[in-house]
Amino acid sequence: MTFVEYVLGPIHYAVVFLYAPFMSFRAINTSTKEDDKQWLTFWIVHSAVRAVETVLERSYLSEIIPYYQELKWGFSTYLALFGGAAQVYDLFLAPLFSTFEANFSEDDMALLDSKPGEFILKHGARAYEEATAQVVQGSTHLKNRISRTKREPGSAETKQE
């Protein structure tokens, strides 16, 4: 274990497994919606990041990425402590989920809300295949949105130019 792992590892775990759940608990018990959004988006983004991590780690790609653990810990901290979850959600995940949701009727979405098991039985592998196709198609939409965001007046990239 390196010094960085020795120091950052416990901080990462404290943020993800102590701080974030406690703040989520507190958000549930307040009347404001802003803290609810922060912690709901944190858990959505954290779940998506964990899914990507699983692929990276099982394919051993994580071993060839320099400073992988440090980047992972820093990103988790950014998501939880600096409002990064809402930014990542708004920029990447919301458009992706919206694209996925648009492929289903209101009746199917109601079925998903009330009886997810029946939704899965009804749509099965086809839904998965459609969702992955939409992710691939949505990535082009996402790239276009990102480049538009970078070119908007007041964006960080515009200010640097």
Side-chain angles (χ1 to χ4, degrees):
M1 179 181 284
T2 67
F3 175 75
V4 173
E5 290 173 326
Y6 184 76
V7 172
L8 292 181
I11 293 170
H12 171 257
Y13 290 107
V15 166
V16 173
F17 297 111
L18 296 175
Y19 179 74
F22 181 70
M23 294 307 290
S24 299
F25 163 78
R26 291 195 60 203
I28 289 169
N29 293 311
T30 65
S31 60
T32 63
K33 294 196 180 250
E34 288 179 27
D35 56 357
D36 294 350
K37 183 179 180 185
Q38 162 61 23
W39 294 107
L40 280 171
T41 56
F42 171 81
W43 291 113
I44 292 168
V45 173
H46 178 71
S47 297
V49 168
R50 291 292 300 161
V52 170
E53 278 181 52
T54 300
V55 171
L56 289 174
E57 290 171 359
R58 291 205 174 158
S59 65
Y60 301 104
L61 289 174
S62 62
E63 293 181 18
I64 62 170
I65 298 173
Y67 303 106
Y68 172 76
Q69 288 297 329
E70 292 83 353
L71 291 170
K72 177 175 120 175
W73 296 329
F75 190 63
S76 292
T77 303
Y78 164 72
L79 295 175
L81 301 179
F82 301 104
Q87 294 171 352
V88 171
Y89 176 81
D90 290 341
L91 190 59
F92 296 105
L93 295 179
L96 188 66
F97 290 147
S98 295
T99 302
F100 174 73
E101 184 179 37
N103 288 317
F104 293 98
S105 69
E106 287 185 32
D107 290 339
D108 282 338
M109 294 312 296
L111 182 63
L112 178 61
D113 288 338
S114 63
K115 299 176 182 173
E118 287 183 28
F119 177 88
I120 292 169
L121 288 175
K122 179 180 177 182
H123 294 285
R126 183 179 67 84
Y128 175 77
E129 290 168 4
E130 287 178 8
T132 53
Q134 287 301 313
V135 167
V136 172
Q137 291 173 356
S139 66
T140 303
H141 170 73
L142 198 53
K143 287 177 190 173
N144 293 338
R145 182 177 175 174
I146 291 168
S147 49
R148 276 195 313 269
T149 302
K150 288 181 177 180
R151 283 186 261 135
E152 289 176 0
S155 71
E157 188 171 290
T158 305
K159 289 178 183 175
Q160 291 173 352
E161 293 175 353

